Coordinates of all heavy atoms in Angstrom, one line a residue:
M1 N 1.6 152.5 158.2 CA 1.4 152.3 159.6 C 0.1 151.6 159.8 O -0.9 152.0 159.3 CB 1.4 153.6 160.4 CG 1.2 153.4 161.9 SD 1.6 155.0 162.8 CE 0.0 155.3 163.3
T2 N 0.1 150.5 160.5 CA -1.1 149.8 160.8 C -1.6 150.0 162.2 O -0.8 150.2 163.1 CB -0.8 148.2 160.7 OG1 -0.2 147.9 159.4 CG2 -2.0 147.4 161.0
E3 N -2.9 150.3 162.2 CA -3.5 150.6 163.5 C -4.5 149.5 163.9 O -5.1 148.9 163.0 CB -4.3 152.0 163.4 CG -3.2 153.1 163.1 CD -4.0 154.5 163.1 OE1 -5.0 154.7 163.9 OE2 -3.5 155.4 162.4
F4 N -4.7 149.4 165.2 CA -5.6 148.3 165.7 C -6.5 148.9 166.7 O -6.2 149.9 167.4 CB -4.7 147.2 166.4 CG -3.8 146.5 165.5 CD1 -2.6 146.8 165.4 CD2 -4.3 145.3 164.9 CE1 -1.7 146.2 164.5 CE2 -3.4 144.6 164.1 CZ -2.1 145.0 163.8
M5 N -7.7 148.3 166.8 CA -8.7 148.6 167.8 C -9.1 147.3 168.4 O -9.5 146.4 167.7 CB -9.8 149.4 167.2 CG -10.9 149.7 168.2 SD -12.2 150.8 167.7 CE -12.9 149.9 166.3
V6 N -9.2 147.2 169.7 CA -9.7 146.0 170.3 C -11.0 146.2 171.0 O -11.2 147.2 171.7 CB -8.6 145.5 171.4 CG1 -9.1 144.3 172.2 CG2 -7.2 145.3 170.8
L7 N -12.0 145.4 170.6 CA -13.3 145.5 171.2 C -13.5 144.2 172.0 O -13.4 143.2 171.4 CB -14.4 145.6 170.2 CG -14.4 146.7 169.2 CD1 -15.4 146.6 168.1 CD2 -14.6 148.0 169.9
R8 N -13.9 144.4 173.3 CA -14.2 143.2 174.1 C -15.7 143.2 174.2 O -16.3 144.0 174.9 CB -13.5 143.4 175.5 CG -12.0 143.2 175.4 CD -11.4 143.3 176.8 NE -10.0 143.3 176.6 CZ -9.3 142.2 176.9 NH1 -9.9 141.0 177.3 NH2 -7.9 142.2 176.8
L9 N -16.3 142.2 173.5 CA -17.7 142.1 173.6 C -18.1 141.1 174.6 O -17.8 139.9 174.5 CB -18.2 141.6 172.2 CG -17.8 142.4 171.0 CD1 -18.3 141.8 169.7 CD2 -18.4 143.8 171.1
T10 N -18.6 141.6 175.8 CA -19.0 140.7 176.8 C -20.4 141.1 177.2 O -20.8 142.2 177.1 CB -18.1 141.0 178.1 OG1 -18.2 142.3 178.5 CG2 -16.6 140.7 177.7
G11 N -21.1 140.2 177.7 CA -22.5 140.4 178.2 C -23.1 139.1 178.7 O -22.6 138.0 178.4
P12 N -24.1 139.2 179.6 CA -24.7 138.0 180.0 C -25.4 137.2 178.9 O -25.4 135.9 179.0 CB -25.8 138.5 181.1 CG -26.1 139.9 180.7 CD -24.8 140.4 180.0
L13 N -25.9 137.9 177.9 CA -26.4 137.1 176.7 C -26.0 137.8 175.5 O -26.2 139.0 175.4 CB -27.9 137.2 176.8 CG -28.7 136.3 177.8 CD1 -30.2 136.5 177.8 CD2 -28.4 134.8 177.8
M14 N -25.4 137.1 174.7 CA -24.9 137.6 173.3 C -25.3 136.6 172.2 O -25.0 135.4 172.4 CB -23.4 137.9 173.3 CG -23.0 139.1 174.1 SD -21.3 139.7 173.8 CE -20.4 138.3 173.7
V15 N -25.7 137.1 171.2 CA -26.1 136.3 170.0 C -25.5 136.8 168.8 O -25.7 138.1 168.5 CB -27.6 136.1 169.9 CG1 -28.0 135.2 168.7 CG2 -28.2 135.4 171.2
F16 N -24.9 136.1 168.0 CA -24.4 136.4 166.7 C -25.2 135.6 165.7 O -24.9 134.4 165.5 CB -22.9 136.2 166.5 CG -22.0 136.7 167.6 CD1 -21.3 136.1 168.5 CD2 -22.0 138.2 167.7 CE1 -20.5 136.7 169.4 CE2 -21.3 138.8 168.7 CZ -20.6 138.0 169.6
G17 N -26.3 136.2 165.2 CA -27.1 135.4 164.3 C -26.5 134.9 163.0 O -25.7 135.7 162.4
D18 N -26.8 133.7 162.6 CA -26.2 133.1 161.5 C -27.2 133.2 160.3 O -28.3 133.8 160.5 CB -25.7 131.7 161.7 CG -24.6 131.3 160.9 OD1 -24.2 132.0 159.9 OD2 -24.0 130.2 161.1
V19 N -26.9 132.6 159.2 CA -27.9 132.6 158.1 C -29.1 131.9 158.4 O -29.1 130.8 158.9 CB -27.2 132.0 156.8 CG1 -28.2 131.9 155.7 CG2 -26.0 132.7 156.5
A20 N -30.3 132.5 158.2 CA -31.5 131.9 158.6 C -31.9 131.0 157.4 O -31.9 131.3 156.3 CB -32.6 133.0 158.8
V21 N -32.4 129.8 157.9 CA -32.9 128.8 156.9 C -34.3 128.5 157.4 O -34.6 128.1 158.5 CB -32.1 127.5 156.9 CG1 -32.6 126.5 155.9 CG2 -30.6 127.8 156.6
D22 N -35.3 128.7 156.5 CA -36.7 128.6 156.8 C -37.0 129.6 158.0 O -36.8 130.8 157.9 CB -37.1 127.2 157.2 CG -36.9 126.3 156.0 OD1 -37.3 126.7 154.8 OD2 -36.6 125.1 156.2
E23 N -37.4 129.1 159.1 CA -37.8 129.9 160.2 C -36.8 129.8 161.4 O -36.9 130.4 162.4 CB -39.1 129.8 160.7 CG -40.1 130.1 159.6 CD -41.6 130.1 160.2 OE1 -41.8 130.1 161.4 OE2 -42.5 130.0 159.3
N24 N -35.7 129.0 161.1 CA -34.6 128.8 162.1 C -33.5 129.7 161.8 O -32.9 129.7 160.7 CB -34.2 127.3 162.2 CG -35.3 126.4 162.5 OD1 -36.2 126.7 163.4 ND2 -35.4 125.3 161.9
R25 N -33.0 130.3 162.9 CA -31.8 131.2 162.8 C -30.8 130.7 163.8 O -31.0 131.0 165.0 CB -32.1 132.7 163.0 CG -30.9 133.6 162.8 CD -31.1 135.1 163.1 NE -31.6 135.8 162.0 CZ -30.9 136.0 160.9 NH1 -29.7 135.6 160.7 NH2 -31.4 136.9 159.9
P26 N -29.8 130.0 163.3 CA -28.8 129.5 164.3 C -27.9 130.6 164.8 O -27.9 131.7 164.2 CB -28.0 128.4 163.5 CG -28.2 128.8 162.1 CD -29.6 129.5 162.0
T27 N -27.2 130.3 165.8 CA -26.2 131.3 166.4 C -24.8 130.9 165.8 O -24.4 129.7 165.9 CB -26.3 131.2 168.0 OG1 -27.6 131.4 168.3 CG2 -25.3 132.1 168.5
A28 N -24.2 131.9 165.4 CA -22.8 131.7 165.0 C -21.8 131.9 166.2 O -22.2 132.6 167.1 CB -22.4 132.8 163.9
P29 N -20.7 131.3 166.2 CA -19.7 131.3 167.3 C -19.0 132.7 167.4 O -18.7 133.1 168.5 CB -18.7 130.3 167.0 CG -18.8 130.0 165.6 CD -20.2 130.3 165.1
L30 N -19.0 133.5 166.4 CA -18.3 134.8 166.3 C -19.1 135.7 165.5 O -19.9 135.4 164.6 CB -16.8 134.6 165.7 CG -16.0 133.6 166.5 CD1 -14.6 133.4 165.6 CD2 -15.5 134.3 167.7
P31 N -18.9 137.0 165.7 CA -19.6 138.0 165.0 C -19.1 138.0 163.5 O -17.9 137.7 163.2 CB -19.2 139.3 165.6 CG -18.0 139.1 166.3 CD -18.0 137.7 166.8
S32 N -20.0 138.3 162.6 CA -19.6 138.4 161.2 C -19.0 139.7 160.8 O -19.1 140.7 161.6 CB -20.8 138.2 160.3 OG -21.8 139.3 160.4
Q33 N -18.4 139.9 159.6 CA -17.8 141.1 159.2 C -18.8 142.2 159.1 O -18.6 143.3 159.5 CB -17.1 140.9 157.9 CG -16.4 142.2 157.4 CD -15.7 141.9 156.1 OE1 -15.9 140.9 155.4 NE2 -14.8 142.8 155.7
S34 N -20.1 141.9 158.6 CA -21.1 142.9 158.5 C -21.6 143.4 159.8 O -21.9 144.6 160.0 CB -22.2 142.4 157.7 OG -22.8 141.3 158.2
M35 N -21.7 142.4 160.9 CA -22.0 142.9 162.2 C -21.1 143.9 162.8 O -21.4 144.9 163.4 CB -22.1 141.7 163.1 CG -23.3 140.8 163.0 SD -23.2 139.4 164.2 CE -24.2 138.3 163.3
L36 N -19.7 143.6 162.6 CA -18.8 144.5 163.2 C -18.7 145.8 162.4 O -18.5 146.9 163.0 CB -17.4 143.8 163.1 CG -17.3 142.6 164.0 CD1 -16.0 141.9 163.8 CD2 -17.4 143.0 165.5
T37 N -18.9 145.8 161.1 CA -18.9 147.0 160.3 C -20.1 147.9 160.7 O -20.0 149.1 160.9 CB -19.1 146.7 158.9 OG1 -17.9 145.9 158.4 CG2 -19.2 148.0 158.0
G38 N -21.2 147.3 161.0 CA -22.4 148.0 161.5 C -22.2 148.6 162.9 O -22.6 149.7 163.1
L39 N -21.4 147.9 163.7 CA -21.1 148.4 165.0 C -20.2 149.6 165.0 O -20.5 150.6 165.6 CB -20.4 147.3 165.9 CG -20.2 147.6 167.3 CD1 -21.5 147.8 168.1 CD2 -19.4 146.5 167.9
V40 N -19.3 149.6 164.2 CA -18.3 150.7 164.0 C -19.1 151.8 163.3 O -18.9 153.0 163.8 CB -17.1 150.2 163.1 CG1 -16.3 151.5 162.7 CG2 -16.2 149.2 163.9
A41 N -19.8 151.5 162.3 CA -20.6 152.6 161.6 C -21.5 153.3 162.5 O -21.7 154.6 162.5 CB -21.3 152.1 160.4
N42 N -22.2 152.5 163.4 CA -23.2 153.1 164.3 C -22.5 154.0 165.3 O -22.9 155.1 165.7 CB -23.9 152.0 165.1 CG -25.0 152.5 166.0 OD1 -24.7 152.7 167.1 ND2 -26.1 152.8 165.4
A43 N -21.2 153.6 165.7 CA -20.4 154.4 166.7 C -20.1 155.8 166.0 O -19.9 156.8 166.6 CB -19.2 153.7 167.1
L44 N -19.9 155.8 164.7 CA -19.5 156.9 163.9 C -20.9 157.8 163.6 O -20.7 158.9 163.1 CB -18.9 156.6 162.6 CG -17.5 155.9 162.7 CD1 -17.0 155.4 161.4 CD2 -16.5 156.9 163.3
G45 N -22.0 157.3 164.0 CA -23.2 158.1 163.7 C -23.8 157.9 162.4 O -24.7 158.5 161.9
W46 N -23.3 156.8 161.6 CA -23.9 156.5 160.3 C -25.1 155.8 160.4 O -25.4 155.1 161.4 CB -22.8 155.7 159.6 CG -21.6 156.4 159.2 CD1 -21.1 157.6 159.7 CD2 -20.5 155.8 158.5 NE1 -19.8 157.8 159.3 CE2 -19.4 156.8 158.5 CE3 -20.3 154.6 157.7 CZ2 -18.3 156.6 157.8 CZ3 -19.1 154.4 157.2 CH2 -18.1 155.4 157.1
R47 N -26.0 155.9 159.4 CA -27.3 155.2 159.3 C -27.2 154.0 158.4 O -26.4 153.8 157.6 CB -28.3 156.2 158.6 CG -28.4 157.5 159.3 CD -29.4 157.3 160.5 NE -29.6 158.6 161.2 CZ -30.1 158.7 162.3 NH1 -30.5 157.7 163.0 NH2 -30.2 159.9 162.9
A48 N -28.1 153.0 158.8 CA -28.1 151.7 158.0 C -28.4 151.9 156.6 O -28.0 151.2 155.7 CB -29.0 150.8 158.7
R49 N -29.1 153.0 156.2 CA -29.5 153.2 154.8 C -28.4 153.7 154.0 O -28.5 153.9 152.7 CB -30.7 154.1 154.7 CG -30.5 155.5 155.3 CD -31.7 156.4 155.2 NE -31.4 157.7 155.8 CZ -31.9 158.0 157.0 NH1 -32.6 157.1 157.7 NH2 -31.6 159.2 157.5
E50 N -27.2 154.0 154.5 CA -26.1 154.6 153.8 C -25.2 153.4 153.3 O -24.1 153.1 153.6 CB -25.3 155.4 154.7 CG -25.9 156.7 155.2 CD -25.1 157.5 156.1 OE1 -24.2 158.2 155.6 OE2 -25.3 157.5 157.3
G51 N -25.9 152.5 152.4 CA -25.2 151.3 151.9 C -23.9 151.5 151.3 O -23.0 150.8 151.6
A52 N -23.8 152.5 150.4 CA -22.5 152.6 149.7 C -21.3 153.0 150.7 O -20.3 152.5 150.6 CB -22.6 153.7 148.6
R53 N -21.7 153.9 151.6 CA -20.7 154.2 152.6 C -20.3 153.0 153.5 O -19.1 152.9 153.8 CB -21.3 155.4 153.5 CG -20.4 156.1 154.3 CD -21.1 157.2 155.0 NE -20.2 158.2 155.6 CZ -20.6 159.2 156.4 NH1 -21.9 159.3 156.7 NH2 -19.7 159.9 156.9
L54 N -21.3 152.3 153.9 CA -21.0 151.1 154.7 C -20.1 150.1 153.9 O -19.3 149.5 154.5 CB -22.3 150.4 155.1 CG -23.1 151.2 156.1 CD1 -24.5 150.6 156.3 CD2 -22.4 151.3 157.5
N55 N -20.4 149.9 152.6 CA -19.6 149.0 151.8 C -18.1 149.4 151.7 O -17.2 148.6 151.8 CB -20.2 148.9 150.4 CG -21.4 148.0 150.4 OD1 -21.6 147.1 151.3 ND2 -22.3 148.2 149.5
R56 N -17.9 150.7 151.6 CA -16.6 151.3 151.4 C -15.8 151.0 152.8 O -14.7 150.6 152.8 CB -16.6 152.8 151.1 CG -16.9 153.0 149.7 CD -16.6 154.4 149.3 NE -17.2 155.5 150.2 CZ -18.4 156.0 149.9 NH1 -19.2 155.6 148.9 NH2 -19.0 156.9 150.8
L57 N -16.5 151.2 153.9 CA -15.9 151.0 155.2 C -15.5 149.5 155.4 O -14.5 149.1 155.7 CB -16.9 151.4 156.3 CG -16.4 151.1 157.7 CD1 -15.2 151.9 158.1 CD2 -17.5 151.4 158.7
Q58 N -16.5 148.6 155.0 CA -16.2 147.2 155.2 C -15.1 146.7 154.2 O -14.3 145.8 154.6 CB -17.5 146.4 154.8 CG -17.4 145.0 155.1 CD -18.7 144.3 155.1 OE1 -19.6 144.7 155.9 NE2 -18.9 143.2 154.4
E59 N -14.9 147.3 153.1 CA -13.9 146.9 152.2 C -12.4 147.3 152.7 O -11.4 146.7 152.4 CB -14.0 147.5 150.9 CG -15.1 146.9 150.0 CD -15.6 147.8 148.8 OE1 -14.9 148.8 148.5 OE2 -16.5 147.3 148.1
R60 N -12.4 148.4 153.5 CA -11.2 148.9 154.1 C -10.7 148.3 155.3 O -9.6 148.4 155.8 CB -11.3 150.4 154.3 CG -11.5 151.1 152.9 CD -11.6 152.6 153.1 NE -10.3 153.1 153.7 CZ -10.2 154.3 154.3 NH1 -11.2 155.1 154.5 NH2 -9.1 154.7 154.7
I61 N -11.6 147.7 156.2 CA -11.2 147.1 157.5 C -11.0 145.6 157.4 O -11.7 144.9 156.8 CB -12.3 147.5 158.4 CG1 -12.5 149.0 158.6 CG2 -12.0 146.9 159.8 CD1 -13.6 149.4 159.5
I62 N -9.9 145.2 158.0 CA -9.7 143.8 158.2 C -10.0 143.5 159.6 O -9.5 144.0 160.6 CB -8.2 143.5 157.9 CG1 -7.9 143.8 156.6 CG2 -7.9 142.0 158.2 CD1 -6.4 143.8 156.1
Y63 N -10.8 142.4 159.8 CA -11.3 142.0 161.2 C -10.6 140.7 161.5 O -10.3 139.8 160.7 CB -12.8 141.9 161.2 CG -13.6 143.0 161.0 CD1 -14.2 143.3 159.7 CD2 -13.8 144.0 162.0 CE1 -14.9 144.5 159.5 CE2 -14.6 145.1 161.8 CZ -15.1 145.4 160.6 OH -15.8 146.5 160.4
G64 N -10.5 140.6 162.8 CA -10.0 139.3 163.5 C -10.9 139.1 164.7 O -11.3 140.1 165.3
A65 N -11.1 137.9 165.0 CA -12.0 137.6 166.2 C -11.4 136.4 166.9 O -10.8 135.5 166.4 CB -13.4 137.2 165.7
R66 N -11.6 136.5 168.2 CA -11.1 135.4 169.1 C -12.2 135.2 170.1 O -12.7 136.1 170.7 CB -9.8 135.9 169.8 CG -9.2 134.8 170.7 CD -7.9 135.4 171.3 NE -8.2 136.2 172.4 CZ -7.4 137.0 173.0 NH1 -6.1 136.9 172.7 NH2 -7.8 137.7 174.1
R67 N -12.4 134.0 170.4 CA -13.4 133.6 171.4 C -12.7 133.0 172.7 O -12.1 132.0 172.5 CB -14.4 132.5 170.9 CG -15.6 132.2 171.8 CD -16.6 131.4 171.1 NE -16.0 130.1 170.6 CZ -16.8 129.2 170.1 NH1 -18.1 129.3 170.1 NH2 -16.3 128.1 169.6
D68 N -12.7 133.8 173.7 CA -12.0 133.3 174.8 C -12.8 132.4 175.8 O -12.2 131.5 176.4 CB -11.6 134.6 175.8 CG -10.6 135.5 175.0 OD1 -9.8 134.9 174.3 OD2 -10.6 136.7 175.2
I69 N -14.1 132.5 175.8 CA -15.0 131.7 176.7 C -16.0 131.1 175.7 O -16.7 131.9 175.0 CB -15.6 132.6 177.7 CG1 -14.6 133.2 178.7 CG2 -16.6 131.7 178.6 CD1 -15.1 134.2 179.7
I70 N -16.2 129.8 175.8 CA -17.3 129.2 175.0 C -18.5 129.1 176.0 O -18.5 128.5 177.0 CB -16.8 127.8 174.6 CG1 -15.7 127.9 173.7 CG2 -18.0 127.0 173.9 CD1 -15.0 126.5 173.3
G71 N -19.5 129.7 175.6 CA -20.7 129.9 176.5 C -21.7 128.8 176.1 O -21.4 128.0 175.3
E72 N -22.8 128.8 176.9 CA -23.8 127.8 176.6 C -24.9 128.3 175.7 O -25.0 129.5 175.5 CB -24.6 127.5 178.0 CG -23.7 126.9 179.0 CD -24.5 126.8 180.3 OE1 -25.7 126.4 180.2 OE2 -23.9 127.0 181.4
T73 N -25.4 127.4 174.9 CA -26.5 127.8 173.9 C -27.8 127.3 174.4 O -27.8 126.2 175.0 CB -26.3 127.4 172.5 OG1 -26.1 126.0 172.5 CG2 -24.9 127.9 172.0
F74 N -28.9 128.0 174.1 CA -30.2 127.6 174.5 C -31.1 128.1 173.4 O -30.8 129.0 172.7 CB -30.6 128.0 175.9 CG -30.7 129.4 176.1 CD1 -31.8 130.2 175.9 CD2 -29.5 130.1 176.6 CE1 -31.8 131.6 176.1 CE2 -29.6 131.6 176.8 CZ -30.8 132.2 176.5
T75 N -32.4 127.5 173.4 CA -33.3 127.9 172.4 C -34.2 129.0 173.0 O -34.7 128.8 174.2 CB -34.2 126.7 172.0 OG1 -33.3 125.6 171.5 CG2 -35.2 127.1 171.0
D76 N -34.4 130.0 172.2 CA -35.3 131.2 172.6 C -36.4 131.2 171.5 O -36.1 131.4 170.4 CB -34.4 132.4 172.7 CG -35.4 133.6 173.1 OD1 -36.4 133.4 173.7 OD2 -35.0 134.7 172.8
N77 N -37.6 131.1 171.9 CA -38.7 131.2 171.0 C -39.3 132.6 171.0 O -39.7 133.1 172.2 CB -39.8 130.2 171.3 CG -39.3 128.8 171.1 OD1 -38.7 128.5 170.1 ND2 -39.3 127.9 172.0
Q78 N -39.4 133.3 170.0 CA -40.0 134.6 169.9 C -41.2 134.5 168.9 O -41.1 134.0 167.8 CB -39.0 135.6 169.4 CG -37.8 135.8 170.3 CD -36.8 136.8 169.9 OE1 -37.1 137.5 168.9 NE2 -35.7 136.9 170.5
N79 N -42.3 135.0 169.4 CA -43.5 135.0 168.6 C -44.1 136.3 168.4 O -43.9 137.2 169.2 CB -44.6 134.2 169.4 CG -44.1 132.7 169.6 OD1 -43.7 132.1 168.7 ND2 -44.3 132.3 170.9
V80 N -44.6 136.5 167.2 CA -45.2 137.8 166.8 C -46.4 138.1 167.6 O -46.7 139.2 168.1 CB -45.4 137.9 165.3 CG1 -46.1 139.2 165.0 CG2 -44.1 137.7 164.6
H81 N -47.2 137.1 167.9 CA -48.6 137.3 168.6 C -48.4 137.4 170.0 O -47.8 136.8 170.7 CB -49.5 136.1 168.2 CG -49.6 136.0 166.8 ND1 -50.3 136.8 165.9 CD2 -49.1 135.0 165.9 CE1 -50.2 136.4 164.6 NE2 -49.5 135.3 164.6

């Protein structure tokens, strides 16, 4: 038996960070598998330091993603100082 869970991720500002090159981190159009695994694990009360447990979860789940609305992108500068 296959079970499904649908998550509708909506918000005024959402960012799915992509691979950082130098100091630029572009925005991905959809969440990555590791982002969704982290979201599910957090809902289960798991900690980020439980790497082996998170890997087992990620290996067992198949994700699919759909983008219904193409939003606008803009540059946000964040400074440490």
Side-chain angles (χ1 to χ4, degrees):
M1 184 168 109
T2 304
E3 296 182 30
F4 295 91
M5 176 174 59
V6 176
L7 299 174
R8 292 182 183 257
L9 305 176
T10 61
L13 292 175
M14 286 195 316
V15 176
F16 305 118
D18 208 348
V19 176
V21 177
D22 294 325
E23 294 189 19
N24 296 321
R25 183 183 271 295
T27 299
L30 297 168
S32 67
Q33 182 179 12
S34 62
M35 286 180 203
L36 294 172
T37 300
L39 184 67
V40 170
N42 185 265
L44 293 170
W46 297 4
R47 303 279 182 190
R49 63 179 174 263
E50 299 179 74
R53 195 176 192 189
L54 292 169
N55 284 336
R56 285 193 306 272
L57 175 64
Q58 186 163 306
E59 290 169 357
R60 295 180 63 200
I61 297 178
I62 298 171
Y63 294 103
R66 182 179 80 189
R67 184 170 58 171
D68 293 330
I69 299 171
I70 299 174
E72 297 179 37
T73 57
F74 61 90
T75 302
D76 179 24
N77 295 308
Q78 298 182 8
N79 300 310
V80 175
H81 304 290

